[in-house]
Amino acid sequence: MASASATGHNVLLVSIVLLATVCACTAESPYAAGLSEDYYQKTCPQAASIVDAYVTKFLSKDRNFAGAFNRLQFHDCWVGGCDGSVLLNSTTTNQAEREAHVNFGLRGVAEVDEIKAALERVCPGVVSCADILILAARDATAKVGGPTWSVALGRRDGVNSTALMADTNLPFPVLNFSGLVANFAAKGFGAREMITLSGAHTIGRTHCNGILPHLYNFTGKDDATDTNPAMDKNFAVFLKKHCPQGNTTNTIFIDSTANTFDRAYYKNVLQGKGIFITDAALITNPVGKKIVTKFSKPGKSFFTEFAAGMVKMGNLGVLTNTEGEIRRTCQFVN
């Protein structure tokens, strides 16, 4: 017979195990209801590997496409939720999100459709365009030196897409610090998360239309001398060579190492070399400047927090179960 002390010890161990089990079962999931990491395990187990292979293919041709895939996730999720609506074409009676001013020069739509076509050949009617966007953004980020993160799947595709919704929800590149904070707060993100996700500007390129207000119309004068005085003067000269006044279509890399996900973006911002007014705005607030300074230095904080921000963004307004549809092609509703 076990001694009283041994019995008590065993009871204590069982209690600890039970408590741990309860805590594990009731721990809050980082994912929206209806999403799971193994969602396609039975219906299309090769889904993630197919997306990964195509992202590798696209980046081998143009490594800068990593920025395009990141932008697609943000521009999709911020407008009515992560439902693939940013991919939809306009119709004769509706201007879709892609026609919005804030979506000027959006890249990657045709590439997502190519991935979708490959998935349809293997698993027809199973994998949503919304999930493809989430996977592609994660894979592309990791392949150019950034962090990776676990992705929950199970989103379905929306059927509504309007330019007005995009221009109303997405932050324009002329917002000041308080404007950015308010825009992100409306989606449930704090100021630190806003600064973290702004770090996506470490990869990719932009058309000049988003830069012109920073160079020629900072105070509303609209002339060649109306440049943000906080911008590094040599950098301003460089930008004006690539983006002459009135030219909206030329393209330019967003940061000095635009094909690599790193901390250069934050270093550039501190040096007065932010491409957009929104970049420069991050250090106009003392708290913002402190965070930018922290992220500009070696350490895991930026990468860890960026991954967490992308996971959180991927939960916005998701459609699951019988909501929405699984599009056959990403640019058209069924």
Coordinates of all heavy atoms in Angstrom, one line a residue, residues 29-122:
S29 N -6.9 30.9 -29.0 CA -6.2 30.6 -30.3 C -5.8 32.0 -30.9 O -6.6 32.9 -30.8 CB -7.2 29.9 -31.2 OG -6.7 29.8 -32.5
P30 N -4.7 32.0 -31.6 CA -4.3 33.2 -32.3 C -5.0 33.4 -33.6 O -4.9 34.4 -34.3 CB -2.8 33.0 -32.6 CG -2.6 31.5 -32.7 CD -3.6 31.0 -31.7
Y31 N -5.9 32.5 -33.9 CA -6.6 32.5 -35.2 C -8.1 32.8 -35.1 O -8.7 32.4 -34.0 CB -6.4 31.2 -36.0 CG -5.0 30.7 -36.1 CD1 -4.6 29.5 -35.7 CD2 -4.0 31.6 -36.6 CE1 -3.3 29.0 -35.8 CE2 -2.7 31.2 -36.7 CZ -2.3 29.9 -36.3 OH -1.0 29.5 -36.4
A32 N -8.7 33.3 -36.1 CA -10.1 33.6 -36.1 C -10.9 32.2 -36.1 O -10.4 31.2 -36.6 CB -10.5 34.4 -37.3
A33 N -12.1 32.2 -35.6 CA -12.9 31.0 -35.5 C -13.1 30.5 -36.9 O -13.4 31.3 -37.9 CB -14.2 31.3 -34.9
G34 N -13.0 29.2 -37.1 CA -13.2 28.6 -38.4 C -11.9 28.3 -39.2 O -11.9 27.6 -40.2
L35 N -10.8 28.9 -38.7 CA -9.5 28.7 -39.4 C -8.7 27.7 -38.6 O -8.7 27.6 -37.4 CB -8.7 30.0 -39.5 CG -9.4 31.2 -40.1 CD1 -8.5 32.4 -40.2 CD2 -9.9 30.9 -41.5
S36 N -7.8 26.9 -39.3 CA -6.9 26.0 -38.7 C -5.7 25.8 -39.6 O -5.8 25.9 -40.8 CB -7.6 24.7 -38.4 OG -8.0 24.0 -39.6
E37 N -4.6 25.4 -39.0 CA -3.4 25.1 -39.7 C -3.5 23.9 -40.6 O -2.8 23.8 -41.6 CB -2.2 25.0 -38.8 CG -1.9 26.3 -38.1 CD -0.7 26.1 -37.1 OE1 0.2 25.3 -37.4 OE2 -0.7 26.8 -36.0
D38 N -4.4 23.0 -40.3 CA -4.5 21.7 -41.0 C -5.8 21.7 -41.9 O -6.3 20.6 -42.2 CB -4.4 20.5 -40.1 CG -5.5 20.5 -39.1 OD1 -6.3 21.5 -39.0 OD2 -5.6 19.5 -38.3
Y39 N -6.3 22.8 -42.2 CA -7.6 22.9 -42.8 C -7.7 22.1 -44.1 O -8.7 21.4 -44.4 CB -8.0 24.4 -43.1 CG -9.4 24.6 -43.7 CD1 -10.5 24.6 -42.9 CD2 -9.6 24.7 -45.1 CE1 -11.8 24.7 -43.4 CE2 -10.8 24.8 -45.6 CZ -11.9 24.9 -44.7 OH -13.2 25.0 -45.3
Y40 N -6.6 22.1 -44.9 CA -6.6 21.4 -46.2 C -6.0 20.0 -46.1 O -5.7 19.4 -47.2 CB -5.9 22.2 -47.3 CG -6.6 23.5 -47.6 CD1 -6.0 24.8 -47.3 CD2 -7.9 23.5 -48.2 CE1 -6.7 25.9 -47.6 CE2 -8.6 24.7 -48.5 CZ -7.9 25.9 -48.2 OH -8.6 27.1 -48.5
Q41 N -5.7 19.5 -45.0 CA -5.0 18.3 -44.8 C -5.6 17.1 -45.5 O -4.9 16.3 -46.1 CB -4.8 18.0 -43.3 CG -3.9 16.7 -43.0 CD -3.7 16.5 -41.6 OE1 -3.9 17.4 -40.8 NE2 -3.1 15.4 -41.2
K42 N -6.9 17.0 -45.5 CA -7.6 15.9 -46.2 C -8.1 16.3 -47.6 O -8.1 15.4 -48.5 CB -8.8 15.5 -45.3 CG -8.5 14.9 -44.0 CD -9.7 14.4 -43.2 CE -9.3 13.8 -41.9 NZ -10.5 13.4 -41.1
T43 N -8.5 17.5 -47.8 CA -9.0 17.9 -49.1 C -8.0 18.4 -50.1 O -8.3 18.2 -51.3 CB -10.0 19.1 -48.9 OG1 -9.4 20.2 -48.2 CG2 -11.2 18.6 -48.1
C44 N -6.9 18.9 -49.7 CA -5.8 19.3 -50.6 C -4.5 19.4 -49.9 O -4.0 20.5 -49.7 CB -6.2 20.6 -51.3 SG -5.1 21.0 -52.7
P45 N -3.9 18.3 -49.5 CA -2.7 18.3 -48.6 C -1.5 19.0 -49.3 O -0.6 19.4 -48.6 CB -2.5 16.8 -48.3 CG -3.2 16.1 -49.4 CD -4.4 16.9 -49.7
Q46 N -1.5 19.0 -50.6 CA -0.4 19.7 -51.3 C -0.6 21.2 -51.5 O 0.3 21.8 -52.2 CB -0.1 18.9 -52.6 CG -1.3 18.9 -53.6 CD -2.2 17.8 -53.4 OE1 -3.0 17.8 -52.4 NE2 -2.3 16.8 -54.3
A47 N -1.6 21.8 -51.0 CA -1.9 23.2 -51.3 C -0.8 24.1 -50.9 O -0.3 24.9 -51.7 CB -3.2 23.6 -50.5
A48 N -0.3 24.0 -49.7 CA 0.8 24.9 -49.3 C 2.1 24.7 -50.1 O 2.8 25.7 -50.4 CB 1.1 24.6 -47.8
S49 N 2.4 23.5 -50.4 CA 3.6 23.2 -51.2 C 3.5 23.8 -52.6 O 4.5 24.2 -53.2 CB 4.0 21.7 -51.2 OG 2.9 21.0 -51.8
I50 N 2.3 23.7 -53.2 CA 2.1 24.3 -54.5 C 2.2 25.8 -54.5 O 2.9 26.3 -55.4 CB 0.7 23.9 -55.1 CG1 0.6 22.4 -55.4 CG2 0.3 24.7 -56.3 CD1 -0.7 21.9 -55.8
V51 N 1.7 26.4 -53.5 CA 1.8 27.9 -53.4 C 3.3 28.2 -53.2 O 3.8 29.1 -53.9 CB 1.0 28.5 -52.2 CG1 1.3 29.9 -52.0 CG2 -0.5 28.2 -52.5
D52 N 4.0 27.5 -52.4 CA 5.4 27.8 -52.1 C 6.2 27.6 -53.4 O 7.1 28.5 -53.6 CB 5.9 26.8 -51.0 CG 7.3 27.0 -50.7 OD1 7.6 27.9 -49.9 OD2 8.2 26.3 -51.2
A53 N 5.9 26.6 -54.2 CA 6.7 26.4 -55.4 C 6.5 27.5 -56.4 O 7.5 28.0 -57.0 CB 6.3 25.0 -56.0
Y54 N 5.3 28.0 -56.5 CA 5.0 29.1 -57.4 C 5.6 30.4 -56.9 O 6.1 31.2 -57.8 CB 3.5 29.2 -57.7 CG 3.1 28.4 -58.8 CD1 2.8 27.0 -58.6 CD2 3.0 28.9 -60.1 CE1 2.4 26.2 -59.7 CE2 2.6 28.0 -61.2 CZ 2.3 26.7 -61.0 OH 1.9 25.9 -62.0
V55 N 5.6 30.7 -55.6 CA 6.2 31.9 -55.1 C 7.7 31.8 -55.4 O 8.3 32.8 -55.8 CB 6.0 32.0 -53.6 CG1 6.8 33.1 -53.0 CG2 4.5 32.3 -53.4
T56 N 8.3 30.7 -55.2 CA 9.8 30.5 -55.5 C 10.0 30.8 -57.0 O 11.0 31.5 -57.4 CB 10.2 29.1 -55.2 OG1 10.1 28.8 -53.8 CG2 11.7 28.9 -55.6
K57 N 9.1 30.3 -57.9 CA 9.3 30.6 -59.3 C 9.2 32.1 -59.6 O 10.0 32.6 -60.4 CB 8.2 29.8 -60.0 CG 8.0 30.2 -61.5 CD 6.7 29.6 -62.1 CE 6.4 30.1 -63.5 NZ 5.1 29.6 -64.0
F58 N 8.2 32.8 -59.0 CA 8.1 34.2 -59.3 C 9.3 35.0 -58.8 O 9.7 35.9 -59.4 CB 6.8 34.7 -58.7 CG 5.5 34.1 -59.3 CD1 4.5 33.7 -58.5 CD2 5.4 33.8 -60.7 CE1 3.4 33.1 -59.0 CE2 4.3 33.2 -61.2 CZ 3.3 32.8 -60.4
L59 N 9.7 34.6 -57.6 CA 10.8 35.4 -57.0 C 12.2 35.1 -57.7 O 13.0 36.0 -57.7 CB 11.0 35.0 -55.5 CG 9.9 35.5 -54.6 CD1 10.2 35.2 -53.1 CD2 9.5 36.9 -54.7
S60 N 12.3 34.0 -58.4 CA 13.5 33.7 -59.1 C 13.6 34.6 -60.4 O 14.7 34.9 -60.8 CB 13.5 32.2 -59.6 OG 12.5 31.9 -60.5
K61 N 12.4 35.0 -60.9 CA 12.4 35.9 -62.0 C 12.5 37.4 -61.5 O 13.1 38.2 -62.2 CB 11.1 35.7 -62.8 CG 11.0 34.4 -63.5 CD 9.7 34.3 -64.2 CE 9.5 32.9 -64.9 NZ 8.2 32.8 -65.6
D62 N 11.9 37.7 -60.4 CA 11.9 39.1 -59.9 C 11.8 39.0 -58.4 O 10.7 38.9 -57.8 CB 10.7 39.9 -60.5 CG 10.7 41.3 -60.0 OD1 11.6 41.7 -59.2 OD2 9.8 42.1 -60.4
R63 N 12.9 39.1 -57.7 CA 12.9 38.9 -56.2 C 12.1 40.0 -55.6 O 11.5 39.8 -54.5 CB 14.4 39.0 -55.8 CG 14.6 38.7 -54.3 CD 16.1 38.7 -54.0 NE 16.4 38.7 -52.6 CZ 16.5 37.6 -51.8 NH1 16.4 36.4 -52.4 NH2 16.8 37.7 -50.6
N64 N 11.9 41.1 -56.3 CA 11.1 42.2 -55.7 C 9.6 42.0 -55.6 O 8.9 42.7 -55.0 CB 11.4 43.5 -56.5 CG 11.0 44.7 -55.7 OD1 10.1 45.4 -56.1 ND2 11.8 45.0 -54.7
F65 N 9.2 40.8 -56.2 CA 7.8 40.5 -56.1 C 7.3 40.2 -54.6 O 6.1 40.1 -54.3 CB 7.4 39.3 -57.0 CG 6.5 39.6 -58.1 CD1 7.0 39.8 -59.4 CD2 5.2 39.8 -57.9 CE1 6.1 40.2 -60.4 CE2 4.3 40.1 -58.9 CZ 4.8 40.3 -60.1
A66 N 8.3 40.0 -53.8 CA 8.0 39.7 -52.3 C 7.2 40.9 -51.8 O 6.2 40.7 -51.0 CB 9.2 39.5 -51.5
G67 N 7.5 42.1 -52.2 CA 6.8 43.3 -51.7 C 5.4 43.3 -52.3 O 4.5 43.7 -51.6
A68 N 5.2 42.8 -53.5 CA 3.9 42.8 -54.1 C 3.0 41.9 -53.4 O 1.8 42.2 -53.1 CB 4.0 42.4 -55.6
F69 N 3.5 40.7 -53.0 CA 2.6 39.8 -52.3 C 2.3 40.3 -50.9 O 1.2 40.1 -50.4 CB 3.3 38.4 -52.2 CG 3.3 37.6 -53.5 CD1 4.5 37.1 -54.0 CD2 2.2 37.4 -54.2 CE1 4.6 36.5 -55.2 CE2 2.2 36.7 -55.4 CZ 3.4 36.2 -55.9
N70 N 3.2 40.9 -50.2 CA 2.9 41.6 -48.9 C 1.8 42.6 -49.0 O 0.9 42.7 -48.2 CB 4.2 42.2 -48.3 CG 4.8 41.4 -47.3 OD1 4.6 41.6 -46.1 ND2 5.6 40.4 -47.7
R71 N 2.0 43.4 -50.1 CA 1.0 44.5 -50.3 C -0.4 44.0 -50.6 O -1.4 44.5 -50.1 CB 1.5 45.4 -51.4 CG 0.6 46.7 -51.6 CD 1.0 47.5 -52.8 NE 0.2 48.7 -52.9 CZ 0.1 49.4 -54.1 NH1 0.6 49.0 -55.2 NH2 -0.7 50.5 -54.1
L72 N -0.4 42.9 -51.3 CA -1.7 42.3 -51.6 C -2.5 41.8 -50.4 O -3.7 42.0 -50.3 CB -1.5 41.1 -52.6 CG -1.5 41.4 -54.1 CD1 -1.2 40.1 -54.9 CD2 -2.7 42.1 -54.6
Q73 N -1.7 41.2 -49.4 CA -2.4 40.8 -48.2 C -2.9 42.0 -47.5 O -4.1 42.0 -47.0 CB -1.5 40.0 -47.3 CG -2.2 39.7 -46.0 CD -1.4 38.8 -45.0 OE1 -0.7 37.9 -45.4 NE2 -1.7 39.0 -43.7
F74 N -2.1 43.0 -47.3 CA -2.6 44.2 -46.6 C -3.8 44.8 -47.2 O -4.8 45.2 -46.6 CB -1.4 45.2 -46.4 CG -1.8 46.4 -45.7 CD1 -2.3 46.4 -44.4 CD2 -1.7 47.7 -46.4 CE1 -2.6 47.6 -43.8 CE2 -2.0 48.8 -45.7 CZ -2.5 48.8 -44.4
H75 N -3.7 45.0 -48.6 CA -4.7 45.7 -49.3 C -6.0 44.9 -49.4 O -7.1 45.5 -49.6 CB -4.2 46.2 -50.7 CG -3.3 47.4 -50.6 ND1 -3.5 48.5 -51.4 CD2 -2.2 47.6 -49.8 CE1 -2.5 49.4 -51.1 NE2 -1.8 48.9 -50.2
D76 N -5.9 43.6 -49.2 CA -7.1 42.8 -49.2 C -7.7 42.8 -47.8 O -8.9 43.1 -47.7 CB -6.7 41.3 -49.6 CG -7.9 40.4 -49.6 OD1 -9.0 40.9 -50.1 OD2 -7.9 39.3 -49.2
C77 N -6.9 42.5 -46.8 CA -7.5 42.3 -45.5 C -8.0 43.6 -44.9 O -9.0 43.6 -44.1 CB -6.4 41.7 -44.5 SG -5.9 40.1 -44.9
W78 N -7.4 44.7 -45.3 CA -7.8 46.0 -44.7 C -9.2 46.5 -45.2 O -9.8 47.5 -44.7 CB -6.7 47.1 -45.0 CG -6.4 47.9 -43.8 CD1 -6.6 49.3 -43.7 CD2 -5.7 47.5 -42.6 NE1 -6.1 49.7 -42.5 CE2 -5.5 48.6 -41.8 CE3 -5.3 46.3 -42.1 CZ2 -4.9 48.6 -40.5 CZ3 -4.7 46.2 -40.9 CH2 -4.5 47.4 -40.1
V79 N -9.7 45.9 -46.3 CA -10.9 46.4 -46.9 C -12.0 45.3 -46.8 O -12.0 44.4 -47.7 CB -10.6 46.7 -48.4 CG1 -11.9 47.3 -49.1 CG2 -9.5 47.7 -48.5
G80 N -12.7 45.3 -45.8 CA -13.8 44.3 -45.7 C -13.3 42.9 -45.2 O -14.1 42.0 -45.2
G81 N -12.1 42.8 -44.9 CA -11.6 41.5 -44.4 C -10.8 40.7 -45.4 O -10.8 41.0 -46.6
C82 N -10.2 39.7 -45.0 CA -9.3 38.8 -45.9 C -10.2 37.9 -46.7 O -10.3 36.7 -46.3 CB -8.3 38.0 -45.0 SG -7.3 39.1 -43.9
D83 N -10.7 38.4 -47.8 CA -11.7 37.6 -48.5 C -11.3 37.6 -50.0 O -12.1 37.2 -50.9 CB -13.1 38.1 -48.4 CG -13.2 39.6 -48.9 OD1 -12.2 40.2 -49.2 OD2 -14.4 40.0 -48.9
G84 N -10.1 38.0 -50.4 CA -9.7 37.9 -51.8 C -10.4 39.0 -52.7 O -10.2 38.9 -53.9
S85 N -11.1 39.9 -52.1 CA -11.8 40.9 -52.9 C -10.9 41.8 -53.7 O -11.4 42.4 -54.7 CB -12.8 41.7 -52.0 OG -12.1 42.4 -51.0
V86 N -9.7 42.0 -53.2 CA -8.8 42.9 -53.9 C -8.4 42.3 -55.3 O -8.0 43.1 -56.2 CB -7.5 43.1 -53.1 CG1 -6.6 41.9 -53.1 CG2 -6.7 44.3 -53.6
L87 N -8.7 41.1 -55.5 CA -8.3 40.4 -56.8 C -9.4 40.5 -57.9 O -9.1 40.3 -59.0 CB -8.0 38.9 -56.6 CG -6.9 38.6 -55.5 CD1 -7.0 37.1 -55.2 CD2 -5.6 39.0 -56.1
L88 N -10.6 40.9 -57.5 CA -11.7 40.9 -58.4 C -11.6 42.0 -59.5 O -11.1 43.1 -59.2 CB -13.0 41.1 -57.7 CG -13.5 39.8 -56.9 CD1 -14.7 40.2 -56.0 CD2 -13.8 38.7 -57.9
N89 N -12.0 41.7 -60.7 CA -12.1 42.7 -61.8 C -13.3 43.6 -61.6 O -14.3 43.2 -61.0 CB -12.2 42.0 -63.1 CG -10.8 41.4 -63.6 OD1 -9.8 41.6 -63.0 ND2 -10.9 40.5 -64.6
S90 N -13.2 44.7 -62.2 CA -14.4 45.6 -62.3 C -15.3 45.0 -63.3 O -15.0 44.2 -64.2 CB -13.9 47.0 -62.8 OG -13.2 47.7 -61.8
T91 N -16.6 45.5 -63.2 CA -17.6 45.1 -64.2 C -18.2 46.3 -64.8 O -17.8 47.4 -64.5 CB -18.8 44.3 -63.5 OG1 -19.5 45.2 -62.6 CG2 -18.2 43.1 -62.7
T92 N -19.1 46.2 -65.7 CA -19.7 47.3 -66.4 C -20.5 48.2 -65.4 O -20.7 49.4 -65.7 CB -20.6 46.9 -67.5 OG1 -21.6 46.0 -67.0 CG2 -19.9 46.2 -68.7
T93 N -20.9 47.6 -64.3 CA -21.7 48.4 -63.3 C -20.9 48.7 -62.0 O -21.5 49.3 -61.1 CB -23.0 47.7 -63.0 OG1 -22.7 46.4 -62.5 CG2 -23.8 47.5 -64.3
N94 N -19.7 48.2 -61.9 CA -19.0 48.4 -60.6 C -17.5 48.6 -60.8 O -16.8 47.8 -61.5 CB -19.2 47.2 -59.7 CG -18.5 47.2 -58.4 OD1 -18.7 48.1 -57.6 ND2 -17.5 46.3 -58.3
Q95 N -17.0 49.6 -60.1 CA -15.5 49.8 -60.1 C -15.0 49.0 -58.9 O -15.3 49.3 -57.7 CB -15.1 51.2 -59.9 CG -15.0 52.0 -61.2 CD -14.1 53.2 -61.1 OE1 -14.1 53.9 -60.0 NE2 -13.4 53.6 -62.1
A96 N -14.1 48.0 -59.1 CA -13.6 47.1 -58.1 C -12.5 47.8 -57.3 O -12.0 48.9 -57.7 CB -13.2 45.8 -58.7
E97 N -12.1 47.2 -56.2 CA -11.0 47.7 -55.4 C -9.8 48.1 -56.1 O -9.1 49.1 -55.8 CB -10.7 46.7 -54.2 CG -11.8 46.6 -53.2 CD -11.5 45.4 -52.2 OE1 -10.3 45.3 -51.9 OE2 -12.4 44.7 -51.8
R98 N -9.4 47.3 -57.1 CA -8.2 47.5 -57.8 C -8.2 48.8 -58.6 O -7.1 49.3 -59.0 CB -7.9 46.3 -58.8 CG -7.3 45.1 -58.1 CD -7.5 43.8 -58.9 NE -7.0 44.0 -60.2 CZ -7.4 43.2 -61.2 NH1 -8.2 42.2 -61.0 NH2 -6.9 43.3 -62.4
E99 N -9.3 49.4 -58.8 CA -9.4 50.7 -59.5 C -9.3 51.9 -58.6 O -9.3 53.0 -59.0 CB -10.8 50.8 -60.3 CG -11.0 49.7 -61.3 CD -9.9 49.6 -62.3 OE1 -9.5 50.7 -62.8 OE2 -9.6 48.5 -62.7
A100 N -9.2 51.6 -57.3 CA -9.1 52.7 -56.3 C -7.8 53.4 -56.4 O -6.8 52.9 -56.9 CB -9.2 52.1 -54.9
H101 N -7.8 54.7 -56.1 CA -6.6 55.5 -56.1 C -5.5 54.9 -55.3 O -4.3 54.9 -55.7 CB -6.9 57.0 -55.6 CG -7.9 57.7 -56.5 ND1 -7.7 58.1 -57.8 CD2 -9.2 58.1 -56.2 CE1 -8.7 58.7 -58.3 NE2 -9.7 58.8 -57.4
V102 N -5.9 54.4 -54.1 CA -4.9 53.9 -53.2 C -4.3 52.6 -53.7 O -3.2 52.1 -53.2 CB -5.5 53.8 -51.8 CG1 -6.4 52.6 -51.7 CG2 -4.4 53.7 -50.7
N103 N -4.9 51.9 -54.7 CA -4.4 50.7 -55.2 C -3.7 50.8 -56.5 O -3.4 49.9 -57.2 CB -5.6 49.7 -55.4 CG -5.9 49.0 -54.1 OD1 -5.0 48.8 -53.3 ND2 -7.2 48.6 -53.9
F104 N -3.3 52.1 -56.9 CA -2.6 52.4 -58.1 C -1.3 51.5 -58.2 O -0.5 51.4 -57.2 CB -2.2 53.8 -58.2 CG -1.5 54.3 -59.4 CD1 -2.3 54.6 -60.6 CD2 -0.1 54.3 -59.5 CE1 -1.6 55.0 -61.7 CE2 0.5 54.7 -60.7 CZ -0.2 55.0 -61.8
G105 N -1.1 50.8 -59.3 CA 0.1 50.0 -59.5 C 0.1 48.7 -58.8 O 1.2 48.1 -58.7
L106 N -1.0 48.2 -58.3 CA -1.0 47.0 -57.5 C -0.5 45.8 -58.4 O -1.0 45.7 -59.5 CB -2.4 46.7 -57.0 CG -2.6 45.7 -55.9 CD1 -2.1 46.3 -54.6 CD2 -4.1 45.3 -55.7
R107 N 0.5 45.1 -57.9 CA 1.0 44.0 -58.7 C 0.7 42.6 -58.1 O 0.4 42.5 -56.9 CB 2.6 44.1 -58.7 CG 3.1 45.3 -59.5 CD 4.6 45.3 -59.6 NE 5.3 45.2 -58.3 CZ 6.4 44.7 -58.1 NH1 7.1 44.0 -59.0 NH2 7.0 44.7 -56.9
G108 N 0.8 41.6 -58.8 CA 0.7 40.2 -58.3 C -0.6 39.5 -58.6 O -0.8 38.3 -58.3
V109 N -1.6 40.2 -59.2 CA -2.9 39.6 -59.4 C -2.8 38.5 -60.4 O -3.4 37.4 -60.1 CB -3.9 40.7 -59.8 CG1 -5.3 40.0 -60.2 CG2 -4.1 41.7 -58.8
A110 N -2.1 38.7 -61.5 CA -2.0 37.6 -62.5 C -1.2 36.4 -61.9 O -1.6 35.3 -62.2 CB -1.3 38.1 -63.7
E111 N -0.3 36.7 -61.1 CA 0.5 35.6 -60.5 C -0.3 34.8 -59.5 O -0.2 33.5 -59.5 CB 1.7 36.2 -59.7 CG 2.9 36.7 -60.6 CD 2.5 38.0 -61.4 OE1 1.6 38.7 -61.0 OE2 3.2 38.3 -62.4
V112 N -1.2 35.4 -58.7 CA -2.1 34.7 -57.9 C -3.0 33.8 -58.7 O -3.3 32.7 -58.3 CB -2.9 35.7 -56.9 CG1 -4.0 34.9 -56.2 CG2 -1.9 36.4 -56.0
D113 N -3.5 34.3 -59.8 CA -4.4 33.5 -60.7 C -3.6 32.3 -61.2 O -4.2 31.3 -61.4 CB -4.9 34.4 -61.8 CG -6.4 34.7 -61.7 OD1 -7.0 34.1 -60.8 OD2 -6.9 35.6 -62.4
E114 N -2.3 32.5 -61.5 CA -1.6 31.3 -62.0 C -1.5 30.3 -60.9 O -1.6 29.1 -61.2 CB -0.2 31.8 -62.4 CG 0.6 30.8 -63.1 CD 1.9 31.3 -63.7 OE1 2.1 32.5 -63.9 OE2 2.9 30.5 -63.9
I115 N -1.3 30.7 -59.6 CA -1.2 29.7 -58.5 C -2.6 29.1 -58.4 O -2.7 27.8 -58.2 CB -0.9 30.4 -57.2 CG1 0.5 31.1 -57.3 CG2 -0.9 29.5 -56.0 CD1 0.9 31.9 -56.1
K116 N -3.6 29.8 -58.5 CA -5.0 29.3 -58.4 C -5.3 28.3 -59.5 O -5.9 27.2 -59.2 CB -6.0 30.5 -58.5 CG -7.5 30.0 -58.5 CD -7.9 29.3 -57.3 CE -9.4 29.1 -57.3 NZ -9.8 28.2 -56.1
A117 N -4.8 28.5 -60.7 CA -5.0 27.6 -61.8 C -4.3 26.2 -61.5 O -4.9 25.2 -61.8 CB -4.5 28.2 -63.1
A118 N -3.1 26.3 -60.9 CA -2.4 25.1 -60.6 C -3.2 24.3 -59.5 O -3.2 23.1 -59.6 CB -1.0 25.5 -60.1
L119 N -3.7 25.0 -58.5 CA -4.5 24.4 -57.5 C -5.8 23.7 -58.0 O -6.2 22.7 -57.6 CB -4.7 25.3 -56.3 CG -3.5 25.7 -55.5 CD1 -3.8 27.0 -54.7 CD2 -3.2 24.6 -54.5
E120 N -6.4 24.4 -58.9 CA -7.6 23.9 -59.5 C -7.4 22.6 -60.3 O -8.3 21.8 -60.4 CB -8.3 25.0 -60.4 CG -8.9 26.1 -59.7 CD -10.1 25.6 -58.9 OE1 -11.1 25.1 -59.4 OE2 -10.1 25.8 -57.6
R121 N -6.2 22.5 -60.9 CA -5.9 21.3 -61.6 C -5.8 20.1 -60.7 O -6.1 18.9 -61.0 CB -4.6 21.4 -62.4 CG -4.7 22.4 -63.6 CD -3.5 22.3 -64.5 NE -2.3 22.8 -63.9 CZ -2.0 24.1 -64.0 NH1 -2.7 25.0 -64.7 NH2 -0.8 24.5 -63.5
V122 N -5.3 20.3 -59.5 CA -5.1 19.3 -58.5 C -6.3 19.1 -57.5 O -6.7 18.0 -57.2 CB -3.8 19.6 -57.7 CG1 -3.6 18.5 -56.6 CG2 -2.6 19.7 -58.6

